[in-house]
Amino acid sequence: MSLQPRSSGEIPAETMRVARAAFPKGSLAIRVRDELGVLFRDEDFADLFASRGRPAWSPAGLALLSVLQFVEGLTDRQAAEAVRARIDFKYALGLHLDDPGFDFSVLSEFRDRLAGADGGRRVLDGVLTAAWEKGLLKSVGRARTDSSHVLSSARELCWLEMVAETLRAALNALAQAAPQWLARIAEPDWFRHYATRAEESRFPKARVKRDEVGTRIGRDGMRLLQAVLTVDAPEGLRVLEEVETLRQVWVQSFCLVDGEVIRRSPKDRPPGANRLVTPFDPDARVGVKRNTMWDGYKIHLTETCGEDAPNLVTNVATTVATVADSAVNEEIHTSLAARGCLPAEHWVDAGYPTAAQVLTTWAEHGVELHGPLAGNTSSQAEGAFGLDAFAIDWERRQATCPNGVTATKWYTRADSKGLPVIQVRFPDSRCGPCPDLRSCVSSATGRRRELMLRQQQAEHDAIRSIRAEQQTDAWKERYKIRAGVEGTISQAVRRCGLRRSRYRGLTKTSLQHQLTGAAINLARIDAHLTDTPRARTRTSHFAALCPVELALDGTKQRTD
């Protein structure tokens, strides 16, 4: 399909007259069009279309419709029907009243084009640019970020279902690509076991019988992989996505021992970051956060938090479920810098900040990163002989204990997480006779004290000062501003279905989240235009009776 940009963004006079008569108080689509004007231009999406071919429907209109679709939680069929039947949608899109719209499949095809070119960011940026021009977005101030889990669009499978469905998907793909070859090498039992979905059959309840079924599936899949890798197999079978998924699942699930296929033990399986959980969404991973476990992805929402303007989502980042929050800091700040939306203060929860990242964020972006730093859980962290009680001389590379003993053995090494640290070791000859040895050394048999320090003095000093500041009531009061971002996640879940991905794969899930961020912005701009008050945290009648002295530190006070 080719792009033929429309030169005029004006609303037809008849459409405007009828819309004003039908909506005397306006609607979200009408108010957004009146206040923000034309959000997108066809030229913004020119690289997504060929220069020749059948003319495509306006990509600018499809981009706006995609956002409105998420605002109202519409399916593709409902969104296409709204273009044909709803006057306020025709007004927002600048269409004539008799415009027949398009087939609903156009939206899916347009999303494919957006996903392949990271077009979701263009859509979110278009809304932010219009809000900036109207004075609704301010870059200098405060922002807050939080993450939430997102379930994969594919349902959760038990292990037997996963391996059986993986093999069945590979057989179906091979049957389409090389039917004659597959019919020749397929065993008769395969048609009985894998011709239908695994959920339509009944696996044995007994553990021994279930293990036998798993072993049989493993042998069948191994034989199929060996057949695909032979020289007699047709070309192109190895690169099929379903065959590659089969290979990965079999590597993580089975192994060969003396020529026999057996299931791998849990300790012999790949780490969670590389482990597939379903053949229908190869990008999904298992995520764990406290007592919550899910298959899918993780979203990071960043929004402004001011009083005189709507709180707008300025950045959306999507990762697989196994990526830690702290690993996304640099991506978030780099993206905010590219948009011109870097805040002066960035408030996050305990999963994001580390001492090194606090210093890096300030040095590279000029942003103060605020969030609870993880405490030192070492048995020697506090008390009269805690780490802070030792005097550290970084220039001379030595440390002095509270009793005046100096250690000069200063080593650079890596800790259990692979991070560079400095290990300081005190001499046995001075620690052994010390009367405070048992108070200083936690081990019952230890004869000397060792310290573990950050590799850089600036990082070491920063973490001490930050932890001290975060114990003050003033900082805890300021930190309450971060709780509001959880209300944003709740709004995205309730209004846009954020909790479950609509599509398969990280790329399309990321597109969904970008459109969700743009939809939340339009909804908040509309609430700002209609003077709708911001919602406050709901408190149950019983919780309201809680005495002030029993309230937890950092209780969420507001969701705005």
Side-chain angles (χ1 to χ4, degrees), residues 496-512:
C496 305
L498 179 70
R499 185 65 71 220
R500 180 175 289 278
S501 176
R502 292 188 177 191
Y503 319 111
R504 297 180 182 180
L506 178 61
T507 301
K508 279 198 171 183
T509 300
S510 178
L511 172 62
Q512 172 188 340

Side-chain angles (χ1 to χ4, degrees), residues 68 235 298 313 427 443 536 545:
L68 293 175
E235 295 183 4
K298 189 185 292 185
V313 176
S443 174
R536 302 188 69 84
L545 298 178

Side-chain angles (χ1 to χ4, degrees), residues 320-331:
V320 296
T322 53
V323 175
D325 291 349
S326 59
V328 194
N329 278 324
E330 180 58 29
E331 177 185 348

Side-chain angles (χ1 to χ4, degrees), residues 202-214:
R202 295 182 179 179
F203 293 115
K205 293 183 178 180
R207 177 66 179 270
V208 175
K209 295 293 185 181
R210 293 175 68 90
D211 291 343
E212 292 176 356
V213 172

Side-chain angles (χ1 to χ4, degrees), residues 128-164:
L128 293 176
T129 300
W132 178 276
E133 293 174 351
K134 295 297 181 179
L136 300 174
L137 176 63
K138 299 179 180 179
S139 61
V140 178
R142 294 177 296 182
R144 52 197 177 196
T145 296
D146 200 5
S147 65
S148 183
H149 64 280
V150 178
L151 304 178
S152 169
S153 60
R155 73 176 181 89
E156 185 177 354
L157 302 175
C158 69
W159 181 76
L160 278 179
E161 285 182 313
M162 184 187 69
V163 293

Side-chain angles (χ1 to χ4, degrees), residues 175-484:
Q176 186 176 7
Q180 296 180 353
W181 173 83
L182 182 60
R184 187 175 67 255
I185 64 105
E187 297 182 2
D189 286 348
W190 291 6
F191 297 98
R192 180 162 54 93
H193 294 308
Y194 311 117
T196 59
R197 294 179 180 272
E199 62 191 30
E200 298 178 3
S201 61
R202 295 182 179 179
F203 293 115
K205 293 183 178 180
R207 177 66 179 270
V208 175
K209 295 293 185 181
R210 293 175 68 90
D211 291 343
E212 292 176 356
V213 172
T215 303
R216 184 255 299 165
I217 297 174
R219 287 197 303 266
D220 294 341
M222 194 70 72
R223 185 181 183 283
L224 179 62
L225 286 172
Q226 292 172 349
V228 169
L229 296 177
T230 59
V231 295
D232 298 334
E235 295 183 4
L237 298 186
R238 302 182 186 181
V239 298
L240 290 176
E241 181 180 353
E242 292 81 1
V243 173
E244 175 60 21
T245 301
L246 176 67
R247 186 193 66 81
Q248 294 182 31
V249 171
W250 254 239
V251 167
Q252 73 184 34
S253 302
F254 302 100
C255 61
L256 284 173
V257 177
D258 297 330
E260 294 292 328
V261 178
I262 63 172
R263 185 180 179 182
R264 288 187 184 274
S265 63
K267 294 184 178 180
D268 192 31
R269 296 170 191 168
N274 300 327
R275 195 182 309 154
L276 277 65
V277 295
T278 173
F280 305 115
D281 192 353
D283 292 337
R285 294 293 184 271
V286 176
V288 180
K289 187 173 184 180
R290 293 189 288 273
N291 295 327
T292 302
M293 179 179 292
W294 74 99
D295 294 347
Y297 306 93
K298 189 185 292 185
I299 181 176
H300 304 262
L301 284 174
T302 302
E303 67 169 359
T304 59
C305 46
E307 296 293 339
D308 56 345
N311 294 336
L312 301 182
V313 176
T314 53
N315 189 73
V316 180
T318 306
T319 67
V320 296
T322 53
V323 175
D325 291 349
S326 59
V328 194
N329 278 324
E330 180 58 29
E331 177 185 348
I332 292 175
H333 291 118
T334 301
S335 181
L336 288 174
R339 287 187 166 102
C341 296
L342 276 175
E345 298 178 358
H346 190 186
W347 295 87
V348 295
D349 69 5
Y352 287 92
T354 64
Q357 290 174 342
V358 169
L359 297 176
T360 301
T361 302
W362 172 253
E364 296 183 358
H365 302 288
V367 176
E368 296 180 11
L369 183 62
H370 293 282
L373 289 180
N376 191 340
T377 58
S378 170
S379 59
Q380 303 176 12
E382 299 179 352
F385 294 91
L387 179 60
D388 292 343
F390 287 76
I392 311 298
D393 190 335
W394 293 86
E395 293 184 358
R396 297 184 179 181
R397 298 167 62 89
Q398 61 186 27
T400 304
C401 79
N403 290 339
V405 177
T406 299
T408 58
K409 294 184 178 181
W410 187 286
Y411 306 98
T412 300
R413 56 178 291 252
D415 63 5
S416 58
K417 297 182 180 180
L419 301 176
V421 295
I422 294 175
Q423 185 179 41
V424 180
R425 186 175 299 169
F426 284 81
D428 294 5
S429 59
R430 300 296 302 275
C431 288
C434 180
D436 296 317
L437 176 64
R438 297 276 69 88
S439 299
C440 184
V441 179
S442 58
S443 174
T445 59
R447 301 293 298 172
R448 64 185 177 193
R449 178 65 185 270
E450 295 182 357
L451 301 179
M452 199 75 71
L453 308 177
R454 303 278 176 170
Q455 192 174 39
Q456 301 295 331
Q457 180 181 0
E459 186 176 342
H460 177 80
D461 295 341
I463 195 171
R464 293 180 61 181
S465 61
I466 291 173
R467 282 175 175 162
E469 180 188 9
Q470 291 177 358
Q471 300 305 313
T472 64
D473 293 337
W475 188 90
K476 293 178 181 179
E477 184 65 25
R478 294 176 62 199
Y479 185 66
K480 290 180 180 179
I481 190 65
R482 190 215 63 86

